[in-house]
């Protein structure tokens, strides 16, 4: 319902595999335990956090954005709180053997072909920025999932195009990040 209220189509929701993690903070844990995943595998996945007494789903009660590698394998997740009072609007998977945020662009798995056809990239900050453009036919777009563009990002992006248009948010953070990114 939330995505529909923001005018995202069902096709886009399916394409990006957007979902919602239940308010029950142990639902995913119980599901994976029933599937006989080992405790070690679940710890290494980065999907769980622990308190003094228990493990719980890192992303519970959040809109979920699967993050894919260039080959379309899910390697991480981002979660957006739908509660405006939550201090952490977005949280990301922790670094794992599969996921290093400095080496990943959100949307590259879907955009790589269009980038090579168009011969330029539009670089945006966030998930919704990218999905909105993609839904409106602009598909040569990548997101850095924040404002930290790294040297590793620069090395990866140059493999696809050296023509890059930075379209970060118009707030102070976005403007500063756009300048830093331009010099990277």
């Amino acid at each position: 319902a939330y995505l529909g209220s923001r005018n995202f189509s069902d096709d886009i929701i399916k394409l990006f595999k957007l979902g919602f993690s239940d308010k029950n903070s142990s639902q995913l844990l119980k599901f994976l335990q029933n599937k006989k995943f080992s405790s070690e595998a679940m710890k290494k996945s980065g999907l769980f956090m622990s308190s003094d007494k228990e493990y719980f789903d890192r992303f519970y009660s959040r809109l979920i954005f699967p993050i894919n590698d260039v080959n379309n394998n899910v390697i991480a997740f981002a979660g957006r709180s739908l509660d405006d009072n939550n201090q952490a609007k977005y949280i990301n998977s922790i670094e794992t053997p599969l996921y290093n945020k400095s080496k990943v662009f959100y949307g590259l798995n879907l955009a790589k072909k269009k980038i090579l056809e168009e011969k330029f990239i539009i670089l945006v900050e966030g998930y919704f920025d990218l999905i909105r453009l993609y839904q409106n036919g602009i598909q040569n777009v990548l997101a850095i999932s924040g404002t930290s563009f790294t040297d590793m990002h620069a090395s990866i992006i140059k493999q696809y195009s050296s023509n890059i248009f930075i379209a970060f948010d118009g707030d102070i953070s976005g403007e500063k990040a756009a300048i830093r990114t331009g010099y990277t």
Side-chain angles (χ1 to χ4, degrees):
Y2 174 80
L3 293 168
S5 74
R6 302 240 350 224
N7 297 315
F8 290 106
S9 71
D10 289 343
D11 289 341
I12 282 293
I13 293 167
K14 288 176 188 168
L15 178 66
F16 285 90
K17 300 177 184 163
L18 304 178
F20 186 76
S21 181
D22 194 274
K23 291 182 182 184
N24 178 344
S25 65
S26 63
Q27 184 178 27
L28 179 62
L29 178 68
K30 290 176 183 172
F31 174 80
L32 293 177
Q33 286 171 332
N34 287 338
K35 295 286 185 182
K36 307 295 185 215
F37 280 85
S38 71
S39 296
E40 190 64 26
M42 288 191 286
K43 285 178 191 174
K44 286 183 179 179
S45 74
L47 295 172
F48 302 98
M49 296 179 8
S50 63
S51 67
D52 293 339
K53 298 180 181 180
E54 64 182 343
Y55 283 94
F56 57 94
D57 178 358
R58 172 181 302 278
F59 298 103
Y60 78 93
S61 195
R62 289 180 178 271
L63 179 66
I64 302 298
F65 299 85
I67 299 171
N68 297 292
D69 65 14
V70 70
N71 297 314
N72 212 31
N73 300 303
V74 175
I75 57 169
F77 298 93
R80 184 194 190 283
S81 176
L82 301 182
D83 178 0
D84 291 333
N85 296 321
N86 193 328
Q87 288 182 337
K89 188 174 184 178
Y90 284 93
I91 58 173
N92 295 304
S93 287
I94 60 169
E95 302 265 321
T96 68
L98 295 176
Y99 176 65
N100 180 326
K101 190 175 179 182
S102 297
K103 297 179 179 178
V104 175
F105 286 99
Y106 183 70
L108 182 56
N109 58 312
L110 297 173
K112 62 185 176 184
K113 181 179 176 190
K114 199 63 156 177
I115 289 168
L116 294 172
E117 287 174 14
E118 298 288 336
K119 298 183 178 28
F120 72 94
I121 298 167
I122 300 169
L123 190 62
V124 297
E125 284 183 39
Y127 311 105
F128 279 139
D129 303 324
L130 181 141
I131 295 169
R132 177 73 62 209
L133 288 170
Y134 203 94
Q135 180 171 285
N136 286 288
I138 301 169
Q139 299 176 349
N140 54 324
V141 59
L142 301 176
I144 60 169
S145 309
T147 58
S148 296
F149 187 82
T150 66
D151 290 340
M152 185 59 74
H153 280 127
S155 295
I156 293 167
I157 206 169
K158 287 178 187 175
Q159 295 174 34
Y160 295 91
S161 179
S162 57
N163 296 318
I164 301 160
F165 295 88
I166 302 168
F168 289 177
D169 295 351
D171 58 15
I172 302 268
S173 301
E175 289 176 8
K176 288 181 180 178
I179 292 167
R180 280 192 316 271
T181 299
Y183 282 110
T184 301

